[in-house]
Amino acid sequence: MSEKIHIFDTTLRDGEQVPGCQLDTSEKVIIARQLELLGVDVIEAGFPISSPGDFRSVVEISKAVTHPIICALTRSVQKDIDVAAEALKYAKRGRIHTGIGVSDYHVKYKFNATREEIIERAVAAVKYARNYIDDVEFFAEDAGRADNVYLAQVVEAVIAAGATVVNIPDTTGYCLPADYAAKIRFLKENVSNIDQAIISVHCHNDLGMATANSIAGIQNGARQVEVTMNGIGERAGNTSLEEVAMIIKTHDMPFHTDIQSNKIYHLSQMVSRMMNMPIQPNKAIVGRNAYAHSSGIHQDGFLKNRENYEIIAPEDVGFPDSSIILTARSGKAALRHHLERLGYYPEQKVLVEVYERFLVMADAKKDVCDEDLIELMEGTEQESVIDILHVQVVCGQPIHAVATVELLYNGIAIRESATGNGPINAIIKAIDKIINEKVGFEEFLVQSMSKGSDDAGRIQVALSHEGKNYQGFGVDEDVVMGSVKAYVNALNKIPALKRNKQTARA
Ligand code: KIV
Ligand code: ZN
């Protein structure tokens, strides 16, 4: 039977400790709501004693979120626990996460204490927290480097004191997967009351092993995993939520999570944007290149059957599309794939000719984008059927927009006017009068090419005609003109418009 692995998200606490990633309360609430939709079980919302901002965030997230447990971090200090309990008072289900260092480094050099004194402080903190709340998680900081026999004593004592979850952090990211697995197994086998608590794994990525260690912990008895979106976190970061969720989903394991994987990409992008933390292009699951195939052999195999080279369908994580990147190593199959996507359906002879020119272009550039392909195709097979001669539009409130357009259509200048609910709509209606052909509008996408209001806009349209799609692109500082160019660019690819030569009205 498949056992549930509880997802404890600490993006807003451990993740947010990264310099430059700080969020204000309202931003944290937005992310917390998205984490709830994603299906996490626990949201660690902050460390309330550390700052008024963290306190407020725990309060507001507690109010805003319904299903996940809201967790607040404390040291093994009474004042911390008092403040955390106060911050959690609106949580439908709250948890206090208290703890102390248990490696000999921490015992000696951080606390200048003995192992016995550390156990006493740990037990006292858990008991104190239990006076406030039934759900108390204990973290044994630097457990990764702690002596396993001593760690087992700590864990047994805090469970006896009332801890419901015991967190075994590899705080410094030091452990090897086999050693971390053995640590969790040791606790399972040697702590007499271990069945009264859930074991939680919390790994850092200093040696690139956070995810491997977390999975090893799960395979050896842990039932909660502490993660952050995009693996964000101090130094090299924490275990990444998306990696753990997709490993469990992709492999035939006796575990499941409640993560709605198709929402992963959206939240990953949101966290990256809000926290000013770009995602490395080759980041597993959510990186820009995670589903991009660039070598000719891979592209050919992928186009025959995507499972040849893809273990996760991009749509499973909400990723826009698998991309076949065009480089000098791409083959004709990849080139044809992109041309068809753009609405070009070249015969084999034309494809061979375009491919040769494509290779010259790809050698000169790092990769070849849609505009380059259009340039290649327009150069080879298209003489333009429609040219824009004149566009004039009047718009504003409360009047309708009125446009006058003059096109050179199959060599004949034609002028038409139309009204619309906005300038672009009016222009398109005027153009439609001129071409007199039934064309469907499938997509209209406007992107700013940089940040300012006076910068160029890139417009992409997709039209349908007689069951085929035709893409058009337009770039202009004026979004209205960019849209006209994109529309005309797509129309120019429709073969039927050439046939209309005879019917074009003067
Ligand atoms: O890495 C760590 O040990 C932690 C604890 C505070 C849980 O983040
Ligand atoms: Zn941590």
Side-chain angles (χ1 to χ4, degrees):
M1 196 191 63
S2 165
E3 279 192 69
K4 169 156 167 164
I5 301 301
H6 297 255
I7 301 291
F8 175 116
D9 182 275
T10 184
T11 307
L12 300 176
R13 198 279 299 170
D14 223 356
E16 209 246 356
Q17 285 174 205
V18 181
C21 285
Q22 273 67 38
L23 300 173
D24 63 28
T25 298
S26 61
E27 291 170 320
K28 286 189 189 173
V29 168
I30 292 171
I31 292 183
R33 287 208 173 103
Q34 294 297 320
L35 286 168
E36 177 168 30
L37 291 176
L38 185 68
V40 308
D41 300 283
V42 185
I43 296 175
E44 188 162 47
F47 182 11
I49 193 125
S50 69
S51 72
D54 255 39
F55 182 90
R56 217 175 17 256
S57 297
V58 175
V59 171
E60 294 307 324
I61 291 172
S62 298
K63 289 180 187 166
V65 162
T66 307
H67 298 293
I69 294 168
I70 305 301
C71 182
L73 187 79
T74 81
R75 295 166 295 181
S76 286
V77 171
Q78 289 195 351
K79 182 72 188 148
D80 284 28
I81 296 169
D82 295 335
V83 174
E86 173 68 16
L88 285 170
K89 76 175 177 215
Y90 296 102
K92 285 91 196 160
R93 293 190 296 155
R95 173 182 297 175
I96 290 177
H97 189 191
T98 190
I100 195 162
V102 299
S103 67
D104 283 338
Y105 294 97
H106 284 224
V107 174
K108 285 186 199 147
Y109 306 120
K110 187 168 164 188
F111 296 107
N112 191 22
T114 63
R115 286 182 169 189
E116 292 68 32
E117 283 164 351
I118 292 294
I119 294 186
E120 277 167 27
R121 286 169 69 169
V123 165
V126 171
K127 284 190 175 157
Y128 191 73
R130 279 298 303 254
N131 291 330
Y132 282 114
I133 212 157
D134 287 342
D135 191 355
V136 174
E137 173 167 340
F138 175 82
F139 66 86
E141 194 178 9
D142 204 16
R145 292 188 298 170
D147 168 45
N148 286 351
V149 174
Y150 174 62
L151 178 64
Q153 286 167 10
V154 176
V155 168
E156 190 159 296
V158 295
I159 294 174
T164 45
V165 181
V166 284
N167 176 10
I168 313 300
D170 182 21
T171 305
T172 58
Y174 172 76
C175 288
L176 291 168
D179 295 340
Y180 193 68
K183 193 175 281 288
I184 302 298
R185 201 164 50 243
F186 184 84
L187 297 176
K188 270 303 256 186
E189 289 168 359
N190 293 283
V191 172
S192 64
N193 52 6
I194 197 72
D195 292 340
Q196 293 167 33
I198 292 177
I199 300 179
S200 184
V201 286
H202 176 120
C203 298
H204 280 264
N205 206 30
D206 298 68
L207 293 170
M209 293 187 290
T211 299
N213 284 343
S214 298
I215 295 293
I218 289 169
Q219 288 175 313
N220 283 276
R223 291 295 171 264
Q224 177 179 282
V225 56
E226 308 199 359
V227 290
T228 61
M229 214 56 225
N230 301 336
I232 200 163
E234 284 201 72
R235 308 185 309 278
N238 288 54
T239 304
S240 80
L241 183 154
E242 63 277 11
E243 291 172 14
V244 169
M246 292 315 289
I247 288 169
I248 292 175
K249 187 167 178 183
T250 307
H251 276 267
D252 189 16
M253 287 179 162
F255 310 118
H256 67 273
T257 70
D258 286 347
I259 294 297
Q260 304 294 305
S261 67
N262 61 354
K263 299 198 164 62
I264 284 177
Y265 184 70
H266 168 72
L267 185 52
S268 155
Q269 290 288 307
M270 179 187 269
V271 166
S272 164
R273 265 194 319 273
M274 283 185 161
M275 290 190 151
N276 293 319
M277 193 53 129
I279 301 167
Q280 72 191 58
N282 59 335
K283 167 79 184 65
I285 317 296
V286 292
R288 165 161 47 85
N289 292 347
Y291 308 93
H293 307 275
S294 63
S295 85
I297 296 174
H298 283 211
Q299 290 180 339
D300 188 51
F302 172 85
L303 288 167
K304 285 180 178 136
N305 181 341
R306 59 197 290 169
E307 285 179 25
N308 282 335
Y309 286 100
E310 225 170 54
I311 57 165
I312 298 170
E315 56 271 23
D316 275 2
V317 296
F319 197 90
D321 190 14
S322 345
S323 31
I324 299 278
I325 300 293
L326 288 176
T327 68
R329 294 194 306 280
S330 301
K332 288 191 208 67
L335 180 62
R336 179 184 286 287
H337 169 80
H338 277 285
L339 291 176
E340 289 187 356
R341 188 176 57 73
L342 292 173
Y344 297 102
Y345 301 90
E347 290 167 9
Q348 187 60 20
K349 199 166 80 28
V350 176
L351 182 73
V352 171
E353 190 227 321
V354 175
Y355 183 66
E356 275 171 25
R357 298 200 303 119
F358 158 77
L359 287 181
V360 175
M361 179 183 264
D363 262 340
K365 301 187 83 195
K366 273 212 188 89
D367 51 38
V368 175
C369 66
D370 288 352
E371 281 86 348
D372 298 324
L373 290 184
I374 290 165
E375 201 183 301
L376 277 177
M377 289 308 289
E378 314 271 291
T380 40
E381 68 167 19
Q382 284 211 338
E383 97 193 59
S384 83
V385 183
I386 304 170
D387 287 307
I388 304 165
L389 295 179
H390 176 85
V391 175
Q392 190 176 15
V393 65
V394 181
C395 62
Q397 286 290 348
I399 57 160
H400 273 301
V402 184
T404 302
V405 177
E406 187 173 358
L407 300 180
L408 194 63
Y409 182 27
N410 280 317
I412 301 167
I414 308 174
R415 179 182 287 252
E416 277 292 355
S417 297
T419 56
N421 54 17
I424 296 173
N425 183 246
I427 293 170
I428 284 172
K429 281 184 172 168
I431 293 176
D432 286 350
K433 279 189 183 174
I434 296 172
I435 61 167
N436 194 24
E437 183 78 32
K438 200 168 163 26
V439 174
F441 227 111
E442 301 299 322
E443 196 177 303
F444 181 75
L445 195 71
V446 181
Q447 280 173 295
S448 166
M449 288 170 75
S450 51
K451 283 185 176 158
S453 63
D454 56 350
D455 288 316
R458 177 186 190 277
I459 290 88
Q460 184 175 350
V461 301
L463 306 180
S464 60
H465 184 265
E466 295 177 352
K468 284 188 173 174
N469 281 345
Y470 301 89
Q471 307 261 350
F473 296 89
V475 176
D476 202 285
E477 282 175 12
D478 174 348
V479 169
V480 174
M481 273 319 292
S483 307
V484 181
K485 286 180 184 171
Y487 189 56
V488 167
N489 180 248
L491 290 174
N492 267 320
K493 293 171 193 160
I494 301 179
L497 294 189
K498 282 190 192 158
R499 295 197 304 265
N500 288 354
K501 197 166 184 163
Q502 304 84 334
T503 60
R505 291 162 300 141

